[in-house]
Amino acid sequence: MARIFCVANQKGGVGKTTTCVNLAAALAQAGQRTLLIDLDPQGNATMGSGVDKRAVTKSVYHVLVGLATLGEARVASPSGGYDVLPANRDLAGAEVELVGLERRENRLRDALKNFGADYDLVLIDCPPSLSMLTLNGLCAAHGVIIPMQCEYFALEGLSDLVNTIKKVHSNLNRELGITGLLRVMFDARMTLQQQVSAQLESHFGDKVFRAIVPRNVRLAEAPSHGMPGIVFDKAAKGTQAYMAFAQEMIERVKAL
Ligand code: ATP
Ligand code: MG
């Protein structure tokens, strides 16, 4: 059965989508059957996987409100080797609609139920908020991957997220835990980043992934080509980091 991971951080622009797309592609290259769920109305994970969000007729929105099944809405990423449950602006209205539906926090979990045998890993790209959409992601997942930049304010935001995860664990999803923290956009020349990185290690111990993703312009360029960075430039430093991260994830899943 699939192991399901939410990639979440309520801070915007911290590398959630970049992590999802590149991890999905690296897992696929390692032979893992992978599904990437885009849970953000911005549709960045959809576009970054080479799927045109404007041409999508059935999306994660339709799945959440019960107008389509996952089987009807998923598409193959032409560049990534994994499946995508796409998102676009349709999803922006879902928040309000979900409030009136039964099992509103569990809509995604319920939608995945019949498809667990199709995948080894499922990744969920969350929007930058602790909204009903993110809550659906957290209720569907076994673990949370938290990408973060090693900056001063990063630690402050982290406690809100950790508290939310604890609350979801106690009240809605006993299976949920923090899988790990991933340091991204890392610049080893900056003393502050090294300090925050060391603080993270001392505070979170082996919850901090060994792999560190450097700031790498090739990763930022790849989405405009509709490709994960690891496919766009195989030799890039960012590619090597995400490949190492995928191996670490595979190890952690095996150890579960
Ligand atoms: P949002 O909160 O809006 O969903 P996000 O957390 O998903 O954002 P991304 O979209 O992945 O963040 O990244 C934000 C920006 O930083 C993008 O322009 C992306 O290309 C760039 N970026 C992400 N990771 C790296 C990296 N390691 N090196 C350089 N640029 C990066
Ligand atoms: Mg994003």
Side-chain angles (χ1 to χ4, degrees):
M1 286 305 264
R3 299 301 295 183
I4 304 170
F5 298 96
C6 242
V7 177
N9 189 328
Q10 77 278 22
K11 262 189 88 139
V14 293
K16 295 180 287 294
T17 301
T18 304
T19 295
C20 276
V21 166
N22 285 288
L23 177 59
L27 289 169
Q29 282 189 12
Q32 303 285 312
R33 298 167 307 152
T34 306
L35 169 68
L36 171 53
I37 298 177
D38 190 350
L39 207 50
D40 186 340
Q42 297 181 98
N44 294 343
T46 302
M47 296 296 278
S49 300
V51 175
D52 185 353
K53 64 180 177 184
R54 291 154 303 204
V56 162
T57 51
K58 292 209 166 90
S59 68
V60 68
Y61 162 75
H62 297 86
V63 172
L64 287 173
V65 300
L67 292 171
T69 65
L70 169 60
E72 291 164 339
R74 66 184 164 191
V75 290
S77 160
S79 49
Y82 53 88
D83 281 355
V84 183
L85 178 55
N88 56 29
R89 285 173 54 192
D90 289 346
L91 188 58
E95 200 86 31
V96 181
E97 279 181 64
L98 283 172
V99 173
L101 297 178
E102 262 176 70
R103 292 178 60 73
R104 58 187 179 184
E105 318 87 0
N106 283 303
R107 307 291 295 190
L108 185 62
R109 183 194 185 107
D110 293 347
L112 280 166
K113 233 168 225 158
N114 292 330
F115 297 90
D118 291 6
Y119 301 103
D120 300 307
L121 279 114
V122 177
L123 303 176
I124 304 172
D125 186 24
C126 289
S129 61
L130 297 172
S131 60
M132 184 56 73
L133 290 172
T134 299
L135 194 57
N136 262 270
L138 295 174
C139 285
H142 300 107
V144 187
I145 296 167
I146 307 174
M148 56 183 303
Q149 288 173 254
C150 291
E151 288 167 354
Y152 178 68
F153 288 118
L155 291 172
E156 215 166 90
L158 195 56
S159 61
D160 291 339
L161 181 58
V162 170
N163 283 333
T164 301
I165 294 168
K166 280 187 186 150
K167 278 189 203 151
V168 173
H169 172 88
S170 332
N171 300 306
L172 296 164
N173 178 8
R174 300 298 298 182
E175 285 180 287
L176 189 70
I178 294 176
T179 306
L181 292 129
L182 178 68
R183 291 161 285 184
V184 298
M185 295 189 229
F186 192 75
D187 185 345
R189 291 167 306 183
M190 289 178 62
T191 313
L192 176 66
Q193 296 215 5
Q194 287 179 351
Q195 284 169 350
V196 173
S197 171
Q199 254 178 330
L200 281 179
E201 283 174 352
S202 66
H203 196 268
F204 290 94
D206 60 8
K207 286 280 180 208
V208 183
F209 290 108
R210 293 189 305 276
I212 299 180
V213 180
R215 187 168 280 286
N216 179 201
V217 70
R218 301 300 273 168
L219 293 173
E221 288 167 353
S224 65
H225 300 267
M227 278 181 215
I230 71 147
V231 177
F232 177 61
D233 186 344
K234 291 189 170 53
K237 288 246 159 44
T239 296
Q240 292 164 19
Y242 275 117
M243 297 297 268
F245 176 45
Q247 286 310 318
E248 226 177 316
M249 276 301 295
I250 292 169
E251 274 171 37
R252 290 211 184 189
V253 169
K254 266 195 209 145
L256 289 172

